[in-house]
Amino acid sequence: MSSTWIIIAFILGFLIVFQIAKASEYVAILKGEEKTRKESNRINGFLLLAFLVLGLFGVWFCNHMLKDKILGEAASNHGERVDTMLYITLAITFIVFVITQVALFWFAYKYQEKEGQKAYYFPHNNKLELIWTVIPAITLTVLVGFGLYYWYEITGEAPEDAQVVEVTGSQFKWEFRYPGADGKLGKKYYREINAIKNNPLGQVWTDPDNRDDVVGSQEMHIVVGKPVKLVIYVKDVIHDVGLAHFRLKMDAVPGQPTTMWFTPKFTTREMKQKYGEDFTYEISCDQMCGAGHYSMRGTIVVESQAEYTVWMKKQTAQYELAMAGQQPDPAKVPGASGDSTGNKETTPSAPGASGDNRTTSIR
Ligand SMILES: [Cu+2]
């Protein structure tokens, strides 16, 4: 019903505009074309001026209304720099915006057609060309230079003591893997991926480094003030790890792991104190990846080292879950005891596989 009314309103509107245009055409004929043109020039000049004033007011008003709606303080060291770059870019573009818009609309008003006023013929000026080419070129080079510097820092080598978290995206969820006490992530092979056998990431169980790796879904735990290196994988299409509060974003590309690192500055609790109890650090998918793209939201818990250690102690290595679930064939799984006493502990035979002890805290 409402669409019928909208169509009727459109038709009426069109008829009114059409009639007004026709009427002004008759008026023009009656008054004389030149006089009408001058009058319409004057009106347009004033309208342009009004548009300038209203437009600038609108810009101010939008910024004023929306300034509390943006994400708040950046919650990582890299984020601070990204924000600084953003504010510098905004300041520069704002100055250029105001100068060009005022000049555009003010000139259109001031130099409208007038009796006895002739346009000045000004075809070329090398000096002006040089100024408005060189100044933007230098400014953009500096901005891009800073951007590249920060980009290479974010995607470059993480500090030695960085916590490593592997992030794997798939339609439509995030999975996280943490190295156990050995600090090493075990090998993966895509053909090993088997959700029923409790191996969602395709860990290769013969690799001893896998024995203590912890796998979680939808919630990532990291430590405040400690660098985190994300190693990003996907199982299907291109996704994108979006960490808006940390001002970071990285494509997750099939067949090509990507990395980035950052240091979280505030715990989730501190952010809740600042921005209200419903604050959540969010990991979103920033790449349209299918019908359920919108639901690909995970959370990040930033906590103290002590809290993280307690949390990590409560986790069970994926290896243990997988072995418990599938009643492994002792002949195939090295060191698997396969007994039915409920004791899920395995005694891996491979050398260097002693990092199985879940009570040992992660660095
Ligand atoms: Cu996605």
Side-chain angles (χ1 to χ4, degrees):
M1 190 63 196
S2 61
S3 55
T4 319
W5 284 113
I6 291 171
I7 292 168
I8 292 171
F10 259 114
I11 294 170
L12 274 176
F14 175 77
L15 286 175
I16 290 166
V17 171
F18 183 73
Q19 289 302 331
I20 290 173
K22 233 175 163 190
S24 51
E25 224 172 88
Y26 293 137
V27 172
I29 292 166
L30 289 174
K31 273 190 179 174
E33 216 164 285
E34 202 185 324
K35 204 177 164 205
T36 317
R37 196 189 66 236
K38 281 180 182 165
E39 217 165 71
S40 120
N41 260 346
R42 229 181 357 261
I43 294 169
N44 277 316
F46 273 112
L47 282 178
L48 285 169
L49 211 57
F51 188 80
L52 170 69
V53 175
L54 273 178
L56 287 180
F57 173 76
V59 169
W60 170 82
F61 187 70
C62 273
N63 279 284
H64 178 71
M65 293 299 283
L66 298 174
K67 73 168 186 275
D68 297 327
K69 300 254 188 296
I70 57 169
L71 283 166
E73 198 179 341
S76 76
N77 57 343
H78 291 322
E80 273 173 28
R81 294 164 177 194
V82 172
D83 278 4
T84 309
M85 276 200 309
L86 177 71
Y87 290 133
I88 292 172
T89 309
L90 279 177
I92 294 169
T93 48
F94 178 74
I95 294 167
V96 176
F97 172 80
V98 171
I99 293 173
T100 51
Q101 299 311 300
V102 169
L104 176 67
F105 292 106
W106 174 249
F107 277 35
Y109 168 76
K110 185 157 176 15
Y111 298 107
Q112 60 184 282
E113 183 188 10
K114 261 186 214 141
E115 213 64 62
Q117 184 168 283
K118 215 175 159 222
Y120 174 59
Y121 183 61
F122 187 70
H124 188 77
N125 185 315
N126 274 339
K127 205 171 162 189
L128 265 183
E129 293 278 350
L130 207 68
I131 289 171
W132 67 46
T133 310
V134 169
I135 291 180
I138 292 173
T139 314
L140 285 174
T141 308
V142 171
L143 288 178
V144 171
F146 272 105
L148 277 178
Y149 177 75
Y150 293 148
W151 172 254
Y152 284 120
E153 202 175 57
I154 291 166
T155 54
E157 254 335 282
E160 284 273 293
D161 63 333
Q163 174 194 1
V164 178
V165 182
E166 184 191 271
V167 182
T168 304
S170 57
Q171 287 173 321
F172 297 96
K173 64 176 184 300
W174 296 107
E175 284 162 305
F176 306 104
R177 182 160 70 123
Y178 310 82
D182 61 358
K184 284 186 216 156
L185 288 164
K187 286 196 187 80
K188 295 195 304 182
Y189 184 46
Y190 74 97
R191 288 197 166 184
E192 298 291 329
I193 294 176
N194 191 329
I196 297 161
K197 288 186 178 172
N198 261 329
N199 193 0
L201 298 176
Q203 286 166 274
V204 177
W205 298 133
T206 47
D207 180 9
D209 290 342
N210 263 320
R211 302 285 163 86
D212 58 352
D213 290 359
V214 167
V215 175
S217 184
Q218 295 303 88
E219 192 179 83
M220 175 161 85
H221 283 249
I222 54 179
V223 178
V224 70
K226 185 174 178 175
V228 193
K229 180 186 177 183
L230 301 183
V231 187
I232 302 160
Y233 290 82
V234 270
K235 291 192 214 163
D236 38 44
V237 299
I238 298 177
H239 299 271
D240 188 297
V241 174
L243 308 173
H245 301 101
F246 303 108
R247 312 288 194 267
L248 293 165
K249 171 175 191 309
M250 176 62 73
D251 270 0
V253 188
Q256 186 188 317
T258 47
T259 63
M260 64 176 170
W261 73 272
F262 64 100
T263 311
K265 272 171 57 189
F266 310 110
T267 60
T268 303
R269 202 179 316 110
E270 283 167 337
M271 290 299 267
K272 278 182 192 290
Q273 278 160 8
K274 272 188 203 172
Y275 298 107
E277 268 310 302
D278 51 357
F279 175 85
T280 323
Y281 277 124
E282 185 179 273
I283 171 168
S284 59
C285 181
D286 288 1
Q287 186 78 262
M288 279 295 284
C289 58
H293 164 72
Y294 67 92
S295 64
M296 219 170 142
R297 178 188 193 239
T299 53
I300 300 171
V301 178
V302 182
E303 54 204 353
S304 67
Q305 180 68 59
E307 286 167 316
Y308 177 79
T309 309
V310 170
W311 173 80
M312 187 44 94
K313 271 183 186 167
K314 286 188 202 152
Q315 307 308 307
T316 312
Q318 194 63 27
Y319 176 70
E320 289 173 40
L321 294 175
M323 294 307 122
Q326 73 186 64
Q327 298 289 323
D329 179 353
K332 282 191 186 154
V333 182
S337 59
D339 64 14
S340 55
T341 56
N343 178 12
K344 304 292 189 304
E345 282 278 54
T346 53
T347 329
S349 58
S354 54
D356 211 347
N357 185 0
R358 296 299 324 129
T359 55
T360 318
S361 66
I362 302 284
R363 290 172 292 121

